[in-house]
Amino acid sequence: MQDKPYSSLDPTDWNELRAQGHRMLDDMFDHMAGLRQKPVWQPAPQEVRDAFREPLPRQPTPLAEVHARFLDEILPYGIGNAHPGFMGWVQGGGTAVGMLAEMLAAGLNANLGGRDQIPVEVERQVLHWVRELFGFPDEASGLFVTGSSMANMIAVLVARTGALGTGVRKTGLAASGRRLTAYASVAAHQCVSQAVDLCGLGTDALRLIPVDALGRMDTVALEAAIAHDRRQGFTPFIIVGSAGTVDIGAIDPLPALADIAAREGLWFHVDGAYGALAMLSPEIAPRLAGLERADSIAFDFHKWAQVQYDAGFILVRDGRLHHDSFASPAAYLARETRGMAANSPWLSDFGPDLSRGFRALKTWFAIQAYGSERLGEVISHGCRLAQDLKQRIESEPRLELLAPVGLNIVCFGYRCEEADEVNREIVIALQESGLVAPSTTIVNGRLAIRAALFNHRTRQQDIDTLVEAVLHRGQQNEAAPVRRRA
Ligand SMILES: *Cc1c(COP(=O)(O)O)cnc(C)c1O
């Protein structure tokens, strides 16, 4: 039988595709090199939005045409996290090396679920590096996942299996007759609560412990909550510490949490989504002491380490328990000692995904091409910029600092009447200006302008722009107050 000419999706003319591909690559280099000359963000016009409501295309469109649409309708309207002026939320900027590695990974189209292939060894290589960085033993297991939301969920699930035994995987939580309780601070990321929910425990099972003036979990209150729950017949099973809280960048007292977990026989997990990789910075690393005592750590290469989205990671001290929390036999996934089905355990034995992309490659490239010291320097630099911004705020009477600056996040406000409303308007106006883009959060009941300095491209001049723009907008508001919302 003869193949129909269109049965393969490969091009008929590779040279034509090659030329187009080179143009696409060059366009992205130009885009990256010229980021500073563009707005951080701009709202998309309605006609651009409308362009994404087309019916299913049945016939082919020339690649050059699709790419032209990308350049016109997609590229200019991202959220801007690659831009040096981006300071919102917690986002990494990405790198040129990461982009190239993504292209290579896509070219390979490897499925990292398992089997005997070197791409799996690349992921294991990153695990080795991570163990080394965090002082974890050789038995520790790890896995690339989408992000820390998934990593935190895996940690809660493994801790649950540790607390109740692997039988819980078959009989379920209810059959255990135990009511498990988890502990995190009120400043913990929302995904911790979601992880507890996704594991079937219900969010009421998460006890939110108060924090001190620096935003760190109050360990006296933690111990009291654990004791109270035990008296009430609950089964405490996990403490989730934060290494870098999302609002202000506080680091929980990790050694004290490790002590309490050890004394109480609880799992000690650390949500180090962005903060854990500050281990790469010799200046910041000492402040993460205690991390090496965690039972598990969730963190993201896609934040401070600037690896392209997505590249989350879960590290678990007890690799066997991690494996036994997920591995399931299936005839069509049988393992062999030779051939392609060898190389057990497979990475899919450590998480819920069977098909998995090659997130490890861009991370492996970035760590090699930049070296851990240079990535650490990016982290130190963000913290120095934050300290500088803090000083600017403290020396400017019209501004006030609203939270301590522990790492690279600065929460502040313009002093005035109805400050919450004015500061919210300032942030929106700054975002719309395209010059510099902080976000907002609530600190001690007050709305704060929140500048998170994660981007490796951000410089002193961007801090200056931020301060000047906030003062300018605040002043404008005094001359002509913003419309009050009802
Ligand atoms: C970003 C973040 C998360 C969630 O991680 P994702 O990678 O977005 O899923 C959890 N905790 C903290 C402290 C974070 O900063």
Side-chain angles (χ1 to χ4, degrees):
M1 195 188 87
Q2 221 175 350
D3 278 351
K4 289 190 178 174
Y6 48 79
S7 65
S8 163
L9 298 175
D10 281 337
T12 43
D13 182 351
W14 280 99
N15 282 334
E16 191 187 321
L17 183 71
R18 186 187 304 268
Q20 174 63 24
H22 288 173
R23 273 196 296 278
M24 290 163 85
L25 186 59
D26 280 341
D27 281 344
M28 284 319 284
F29 284 134
D30 288 345
H31 170 72
M32 275 192 177
L35 275 170
R36 192 173 273 286
Q37 282 73 53
K38 299 175 188 183
V40 182
W41 175 81
Q42 54 186 332
Q46 191 58 43
E47 60 271 23
V48 170
R49 271 176 216 284
D50 292 345
F52 295 90
R53 294 293 178 273
E54 285 179 349
L56 182 69
R58 304 223 165 240
Q59 296 304 320
T61 309
L63 181 57
E65 232 173 85
V66 181
H67 180 232
R69 282 198 60 188
F70 168 80
L71 291 178
D72 292 345
E73 299 171 0
I74 300 176
L75 188 65
Y77 303 111
I79 204 64
N81 53 304
H83 193 285
F86 185 91
M87 301 174 183
W89 301 278
V90 177
Q91 300 206 14
T95 64
V97 164
M99 174 178 81
L100 294 171
E102 280 279 66
M103 185 185 70
L104 302 184
L108 265 182
N109 193 29
N111 178 347
L112 282 259
R115 305 178 185 86
D116 196 8
Q117 53 173 335
I118 288 300
V120 166
E121 301 309 320
V122 175
E123 184 156 338
R124 289 180 180 151
Q125 167 70 85
V126 176
L127 168 62
H128 278 272
W129 288 338
V130 163
R131 279 187 198 134
E132 182 184 331
L133 185 66
F134 293 120
F136 267 49
D138 290 348
E139 309 79 62
S141 52
L143 192 72
F144 273 98
V145 290
T146 40
S148 286
S149 302
M150 178 59 88
N152 283 321
M153 195 205 83
I154 289 176
V156 173
L157 202 72
V158 176
R160 174 215 65 166
T161 308
L164 299 179
T166 50
V168 68
R169 294 184 61 196
K170 181 166 186 293
T171 54
L173 279 172
S176 77
R178 306 239 226 120
R179 291 179 298 161
L180 299 181
T181 47
Y183 305 82
S185 92
V186 291
H189 194 277
Q190 178 58 31
C191 72
V192 174
S193 167
Q194 190 186 46
V196 171
D197 167 23
L198 290 171
C199 291
L201 300 169
T203 55
D204 283 353
L206 179 65
R207 313 303 201 211
L208 294 179
I209 309 300
V211 292
D212 66 14
L214 295 177
R216 304 172 304 187
M217 196 191 301
D218 174 345
T219 54
V220 174
L222 170 65
E223 293 200 86
I226 293 170
H228 181 263
D229 281 335
R230 287 208 198 279
R231 283 196 300 276
Q232 301 291 313
F234 290 98
T235 303
F237 81 110
I238 186 172
I239 298 171
V240 179
S242 297
T245 58
V246 61
D247 282 324
I248 68 168
I251 300 170
D252 281 337
L254 305 178
L257 298 188
D259 287 343
I260 295 169
R263 207 156 54 232
E264 297 282 345
L266 308 188
W267 187 275
F268 176 37
H269 172 67
V270 175
D271 175 8
Y274 72 86
L277 283 177
M279 285 299 294
L280 293 167
S281 155
E283 284 131 280
I284 311 295
R287 304 188 30 213
L288 293 167
L291 201 53
E292 74 290 348
R293 294 174 62 192
D295 290 302
S296 51
I297 306 174
F299 64 95
D300 289 322
F301 286 105
H302 58 222
K303 288 175 173 169
W304 233 345
Q306 315 292 330
V307 172
Q308 257 73 1
Y309 285 90
D310 47 36
F313 204 89
I314 177 66
L315 178 67
V316 180
R317 178 178 302 277
D318 183 345
R320 173 177 284 273
L321 179 64
H322 184 190
H323 175 270
D324 293 348
S325 299
F326 285 99
S328 317
Y332 46 84
L333 297 174
R335 310 304 158 80
E336 304 293 347
T337 50
R338 287 168 33 231
M340 289 158 74
N343 203 15
S344 193
W346 290 0
L347 295 170
S348 58
D349 295 333
F350 295 90
D353 296 315
L354 176 57
S355 293
R356 308 175 61 252
F358 201 175
R359 297 182 181 106
L361 190 69
K362 57 194 169 188
T363 310
W364 182 81
F365 257 91
I367 292 175
Q368 286 198 103
Y370 297 114
S372 69
E373 287 181 8
R374 208 163 149 209
L375 295 175
E377 178 48 33
V378 167
I379 290 169
S380 305
H381 179 69
C383 294
R384 284 196 295 270
L385 285 177
Q387 285 305 323
D388 180 80
L389 175 57
K390 171 180 178 255
Q391 279 162 19
R392 296 281 303 271
I393 292 161
E394 285 173 337
S395 64
E396 169 54 66
R398 288 171 293 169
L399 300 178
E400 64 180 318
L401 195 66
L402 293 176
V405 180
L407 288 169
N408 60 334
I409 298 178
V410 184
C411 291
F412 66 106
Y414 186 83
R415 284 184 208 267
C416 59
E417 301 271 298
E418 303 204 43
D420 282 6
E421 194 58 20
V422 171
N423 281 298
R424 177 182 292 116
E425 291 293 336
I426 289 174
V427 168
I428 294 172
L430 260 48
Q431 292 173 354
E432 288 175 341
S433 78
L435 286 175
V436 67
S439 59
T440 64
T441 191
I442 305 288
V443 183
N444 298 324
R446 296 184 57 190
L447 184 130
I449 300 173
R450 179 177 166 288
L453 305 168
F454 282 97
N455 193 305
H456 62 100
R457 302 181 176 100
T458 303
R459 297 190 216 140
Q460 186 62 46
Q461 71 186 86
D462 302 297
I463 302 298
D464 298 344
T465 305
L466 173 69
V467 171
E468 283 152 24
V470 168
L471 289 174
H472 178 69
R473 290 283 168 180
Q475 223 158 11
Q476 271 187 335
N477 179 68
E478 269 161 39
V482 291
R483 265 180 292 117
R484 305 285 176 229
R485 296 214 177 103

